[in-house]
Amino acid sequence: MAVLETIVVAFWAMVPAYVPNNAAVLAGGGRPIDGGRTLNRKRLLGDGKTWRGTAVGTTIGLVLAAMLTLIAGDASAALGFEVPTFTPLAALGLAGGAMLGDILASFLKRRTGRDRGAMFPVVDQLDFVVVSLPVTALLDIDWFLSVFTWEVILVVVVITPLLHVLTNVIAYRLGLKNEPW
């Protein structure tokens, strides 16, 4: 696989995991997943992790995977190489796994004494990748192995923190986030 092809395939394959956490913010509040529960006098997750946001984020990731699957043939023809289509289980693994990764990162933040929105380098940038890829592999190993070569995984690990910082700065400047990280 050529370098440009690897980058495009990596980005295309990760779109259903990249978008859900940002889309969840647009859902605007709702009932916290942890219901206000605490562990050692610290919230389990905090008010930022809601059922509505999780459902909206996951749903948008699934819709994006379906849309990418619909246009994959035309995109492949235009690019001159194949981009992946998504099976329903792969889409669920990517979108749901991304949301789960963000929830687990919130749990880690609370355990380490970080407040909502506080910076947590590396974890903030890769939480959804570290969870969505294994969840996807568990749900559809054949699809996962056909798409996520070692080269594609390497590109995902390299470009994801860059994309994360860029999208967060944009969201901050648009007033959608309180902090630029």
Side-chain angles (χ1 to χ4, degrees):
M1 204 181 291
V3 174
L4 179 61
E5 181 179 351
T6 304
I7 293 169
V8 170
V9 167
F11 180 77
W12 183 281
M14 287 301 293
V15 165
Y18 282 157
V19 176
N21 289 324
N22 296 320
V25 173
L26 302 176
R31 185 169 166 250
I33 292 171
D34 68 8
R37 290 180 193 81
T38 61
L39 176 65
N40 298 327
R41 289 176 285 195
K42 295 178 188 173
R43 281 288 294 274
L44 287 176
L45 301 173
D47 289 335
K49 302 300 168 225
T50 67
W51 290 109
R52 182 185 320 151
T54 302
V56 167
T58 302
T59 300
I60 288 176
L62 292 170
V63 168
L64 283 170
M67 290 171 54
L68 290 171
T69 295
L70 287 174
I71 66 168
D74 291 336
S76 295
L79 292 167
F81 55 83
E82 292 293 315
V83 293
T85 59
F86 298 87
T87 66
L89 287 175
L92 180 60
L94 289 163
M99 295 305 298
L100 180 59
D102 193 54
I103 290 166
L104 292 174
S106 181
F107 180 79
L108 285 174
K109 279 185 174 183
R110 301 300 89 79
R111 303 295 62 78
T112 59
R114 288 174 172 82
D115 292 328
R116 178 180 176 191
M119 194 182 303
F120 199 173
V122 181
V123 173
D124 282 335
Q125 290 79 35
L126 293 173
D127 56 353
F128 58 95
V129 171
V130 169
V131 177
S132 67
L133 292 183
V135 169
T136 303
L138 285 171
L139 292 178
D140 194 338
I141 189 65
D142 292 333
W143 182 90
F144 180 85
L145 292 174
S146 72
V147 173
F148 286 99
T149 63
W150 287 113
E151 293 84 6
V152 169
I153 291 171
L154 177 62
V155 168
V156 167
V157 170
V158 171
I159 68 169
T160 298
L162 302 172
L163 290 171
H164 188 269
V165 169
L166 176 65
T167 57
N168 282 333
V169 167
I170 291 169
Y172 174 74
R173 292 205 173 147
L174 291 174
L176 299 172
K177 289 190 66 155
N178 295 329
E179 54 283 313
W181 56 80

